Amino acid sequence: MKIGIIGAGQIGGTLTRRLRELGHEVAVSNSRSPETLADLADETGATAVWAKDAATDADLVIVSIPQKNVPDLADGIVDARTPGAPVIETNNYYPQQRDGEIAAIEDGQVESAWVAEQIGAPVHKVFNGIWWKHLLENGKPSGTANRIALPVAGEDGPGRELVHGIVDQLGFEPVDAGPISESWRQQPGTPVYGKDFDAERTREALQAATTERTAEWSARIDGSPA
């Protein structure tokens, strides 16, 4: 499969390594020139490209960049993918820690819906809540007891099936987390975020989530004691 990755940080770089190990053809980019990814390309056999070219003819596109940088992506950044190819976004909104205030999200827009709006394409949300080192090292074969499960939010159809297949290939149990409108259930601050639960506990944690944005994950509440 041909996969384009926009973002070569901890998650994007880890997915580059793991997907190449699985034999996929990977084009990877960052916010700078392809030359800055020479070491990653040499290590993995991935092709370093400009961000605007990462999605060209790709069967799957992965966007893995700081949330605050999404609006800076080129217009139509994923439009050159193959027709119907799904787009994964792994991003998280960290208002106090990195991103500053994004008004639409603070006003209640679901983080992944905001990303989809910015890039002009529907997305699937996955890989946003697992530590990169566990993504790199803790995958297990299908059927392994207590296999780490990863929630996948997005619309039903062939795109979801492909995304679930990639998650399974990487060694994790894909769990249907509903449409993107429900992806708030796996945002930072929710019971499933940052946990290495199995499939049953992942489903329970998704159901236990609430829409309240806690003080730690808001730009508008400082979280200080009253």
Side-chain angles (χ1 to χ4, degrees):
M1 185 186 304
K2 186 172 183 180
I3 300 173
I5 300 180
I6 300 169
Q10 291 180 332
I11 295 296
T14 296
L15 287 170
T16 298
R17 292 177 173 89
R18 291 290 291 112
L19 291 167
R20 281 295 300 140
E21 289 173 2
L22 291 169
H24 295 290
E25 180 182 348
V26 176
V28 61
S29 65
N30 60 14
S31 60
R32 296 170 290 163
S33 69
E35 289 76 17
T36 62
L37 292 173
D39 289 346
L40 181 62
D42 289 345
E43 173 194 341
T44 63
T47 302
V49 299
W50 292 98
K52 65 181 179 60
D53 299 321
T56 301
D57 298 327
D59 303 303
L60 171 68
V61 180
I62 300 170
V63 179
S64 187
I65 65 175
Q67 197 83 324
K68 65 180 180 180
N69 294 342
V70 173
D72 298 331
L73 294 172
D75 290 343
I77 188 77
V78 301
D79 289 356
R81 69 194 189 283
T82 60
V87 178
I88 288 173
E89 73 98 6
T90 77
N91 305 353
N92 291 305
Y93 174 48
Y94 297 143
Q96 298 179 33
Q97 300 84 352
R98 180 191 63 198
D99 297 319
E101 180 173 337
I102 297 176
I105 294 175
E106 293 285 347
D107 289 341
Q109 187 172 18
V110 176
E111 294 175 16
S112 293
W114 181 83
V115 173
E117 186 177 276
Q118 299 300 309
I119 67 173
V123 298
H124 292 78
K125 189 178 191 74
V126 64
F127 305 122
N128 72 295
I130 185 171
W131 187 36
W132 70 270
K133 194 171 181 65
H134 291 180
L135 179 60
L136 182 68
E137 299 176 350
N138 290 6
K140 303 294 182 183
S142 181
T144 302
N146 300 316
R147 190 187 197 202
I148 295 172
L150 299 181
V152 182
E155 304 310 313
D156 290 338
R160 174 181 279 282
E161 294 168 12
L162 188 151
V163 172
H164 278 227
I166 285 290
V167 172
D168 181 59
Q169 286 181 38
L170 289 165
F172 302 92
E173 195 69 25
V175 169
D176 187 339
I180 281 298
S181 61
E182 293 289 307
S183 63
W184 56 266
R185 295 180 181 276
Q186 64 197 78
Q187 292 176 176
T190 61
V192 79
Y193 179 76
K195 304 297 194 300
D196 289 340
F197 291 153
D198 63 11
E200 181 179 359
R201 292 185 69 194
T202 293
R203 293 186 184 97
E204 291 172 352
L206 288 168
Q207 288 303 308
T210 65
T211 56
E212 179 185 5
R213 184 172 291 281
T214 58
E216 183 181 3
W217 305 108
S218 174
R220 297 178 179 175
I221 306 172
D222 64 15
S224 300

